[in-house]
Amino acid sequence: MTDWLRRRLNGLPPPVRQRVRRLWLSLVPIGQCAIAAGAAWWIAVNIFGHPQPFFAPIAAVVSLGLSLGKRWRRSVELVAGVTIGILIGDLLVSQIGSGTWQIMLVVALAMAVAVFLDNGPLIPMQAASSGVLVATLLPPGGVGGFHRAIDALIGGVVGMIIVALFPVNPAHRARRDAAGLLATMRDSARTLVSGLREGDADVVASALESARGTQEAINEMRADMRGGREVSTISPLYWNARERLARISATADPIDNAVRNFRIIARRALGMTQRGEPLRPEIVDILADVGEAFEVLREMMIAKPGEEPDQADAARVLRTVARKAKAELVSDSTLSETAVMAELRSMLIDMLMIAGLRRSSAMATLR
């Protein structure tokens, strides 16, 4: 059944396929938000007896969101922002009434207090929106304001409980993001090699453009790695995944650095190709090996524990490539060719670190 669905998905037009995959990957967070919203409302109504606790489901949904990262912080910021907005709104509206200038004053004071207390973006927005609700739609003062603050707290707590009881697999997204980036680098390296061998500046430029377009994916990878570690801390179901998450998260900086080094290599290669300056065939061959090494790293990243290739397998492949990247290859080369080799060796160090080596060990491999 899974293979059939995958074939059907791959048969869709690329824009539709991308949207379907995005929806598929978001199904668990969407389900978490839906369950948390309903549970928060039920608790506020049936246990605490609040007649219209709409802050409870709102707080639950905002504290979770679709992003896995910083859910603890979002919950705290949300409750704090709602509380600040409610207290200031209740205090002012009960004394000065409601109207245009009163709303302006409530929003200004609520956001000012929130900014003074914390530099996060969520607290000021929640403080302002809660203050506006009090100033326009909700009766101020008395027990109602206290109930609204309690509702926000209920929503935030319920959100965290849902994360603990129905968690997203903390390693899945992180591995998927890293593997996707490594696949992009594999393809970019192959394109770069093809362009260099053909002397085609347009092909080399397309490799550079592909590498330059990875920053959003890098940011998403980092966010999902942080979120995965947070889930493995909150949920007892994934406490045993902490060590694995730590290993996966340790690849974030080396992957980022490898992509940056590849961009420099591609940019210098583009300049050489445009000037009609050939790059030594031995270096181009090493770049071809680098492309295959990126594929091994991708397979390593998506392999389950105990499957191959593992970090040791990837490190063996990269050591073989590193032995070819000798500084002597450019002992009598131009400045541009020497610079390409220097960045190539630096990128190999990053790739060895993705495979689990410490930086000192990776550097020793290239001495």
Side-chain angles (χ1 to χ4, degrees):
M1 187 66 176
T2 303
D3 292 337
W4 180 83
L5 287 174
R6 186 178 292 110
R7 288 195 299 269
R8 298 289 292 180
L9 178 61
N10 291 334
L12 295 173
V16 178
R17 184 168 65 244
Q18 182 180 5
R19 285 166 173 77
V20 172
R21 282 177 173 163
R22 184 170 64 235
L23 175 60
W24 175 259
L25 293 170
S26 299
L27 285 180
V28 172
I30 289 172
Q32 288 178 329
C33 289
I35 295 171
W41 175 274
W42 187 91
I43 291 171
V45 170
N46 293 282
I47 296 180
F48 288 84
H50 297 175
Q52 290 183 319
F54 64 85
F55 271 112
I58 289 174
V61 171
V62 174
S63 66
L64 290 175
L66 294 182
S67 172
L68 299 186
K70 298 184 178 179
R71 284 179 161 182
W72 271 115
R73 180 173 176 82
R74 283 207 302 268
S75 294
V76 173
E77 288 181 343
L78 180 76
V79 173
V82 169
T83 302
I84 291 169
I86 288 171
L87 292 177
I88 291 178
D90 275 338
L91 178 63
L92 290 181
V93 174
S94 62
Q95 298 298 319
I96 63 178
S98 180
T100 302
W101 70 268
Q102 290 95 332
I103 292 174
M104 294 170 61
L105 182 60
V106 167
V107 170
L109 285 178
M111 295 187 74
V113 172
V115 170
F116 177 79
L117 294 177
D118 188 85
N119 63 353
L122 185 58
I123 292 184
M125 294 301 100
Q126 287 300 322
S129 60
S130 301
V132 168
L133 284 172
V134 171
T136 56
L137 298 177
L138 303 176
V143 176
F146 177 73
H147 282 180
R148 289 190 283 269
I150 294 296
D151 292 340
L153 179 61
I154 291 171
V157 172
V158 168
M160 290 301 96
I161 292 174
I162 293 300
V163 170
L165 297 180
F166 306 100
V168 177
N169 186 325
H172 178 69
R173 279 196 176 188
R175 289 167 53 228
R176 180 208 71 201
D177 294 341
L181 271 166
L182 293 167
T184 299
M185 298 313 301
R186 172 203 64 200
D187 296 340
S188 299
R190 290 172 177 173
T191 301
L192 176 61
V193 169
S194 177
L196 288 171
R197 286 175 173 166
E198 296 170 6
D200 191 329
D202 290 337
V203 176
V204 174
S206 68
L208 175 58
E209 188 65 25
S210 176
R212 281 176 170 170
T214 57
Q215 193 57 51
E216 183 177 348
I218 290 172
N219 296 340
E220 183 177 352
M221 176 191 70
R222 288 185 177 277
D224 284 343
M225 286 179 175
R226 288 193 298 268
R229 297 190 72 173
E230 185 177 289
V231 170
S232 68
T233 300
I234 296 172
S235 175
L237 300 177
Y238 286 106
W239 283 348
N240 60 350
R242 291 176 185 174
E243 184 177 347
R244 189 179 184 208
L245 258 297
R247 289 198 302 269
I248 294 173
S249 299
T251 66
D253 285 341
I255 290 175
D256 192 350
N257 292 335
V259 173
R260 294 175 189 273
N261 279 318
F262 182 86
R263 291 173 189 160
I264 297 173
I265 293 170
R267 188 168 63 246
R268 290 189 177 277
L270 177 60
M272 294 178 68
T273 306
Q274 290 172 335
R275 294 191 300 269
E277 183 181 346
L279 188 63
R280 192 181 295 257
E282 294 88 344
I283 299 178
V284 177
D285 291 340
I286 295 172
L287 285 170
D289 292 337
V290 164
E292 301 314 308
F294 272 123
E295 170 60 15
V296 174
L297 288 172
R298 185 197 69 83
E299 293 174 351
M300 175 203 77
M301 194 62 67
I302 62 175
K304 296 178 181 179
E307 292 183 349
E308 295 181 349
D310 57 14
Q311 287 185 323
D313 297 324
R316 280 194 293 271
V317 171
L318 283 162
R319 286 192 181 98
T320 301
V321 180
R323 282 194 288 269
K324 299 178 183 179
K326 299 177 181 178
E328 292 81 5
L329 282 176
V330 291
S331 58
D332 58 349
S333 295
T334 63
L335 179 61
S336 295
E337 199 167 55
T338 302
V340 169
M341 175 58 82
E343 293 297 337
L344 176 55
R345 287 166 61 88
S346 180
M347 183 172 66
L348 284 168
I349 291 174
D350 299 326
M351 295 173 73
L352 284 163
M353 292 176 67
I354 297 171
L357 272 70
R358 292 190 297 271
R359 184 169 186 83
S360 58
S361 300
M363 292 177 66
T365 303
L366 280 152
R367 282 179 191 151

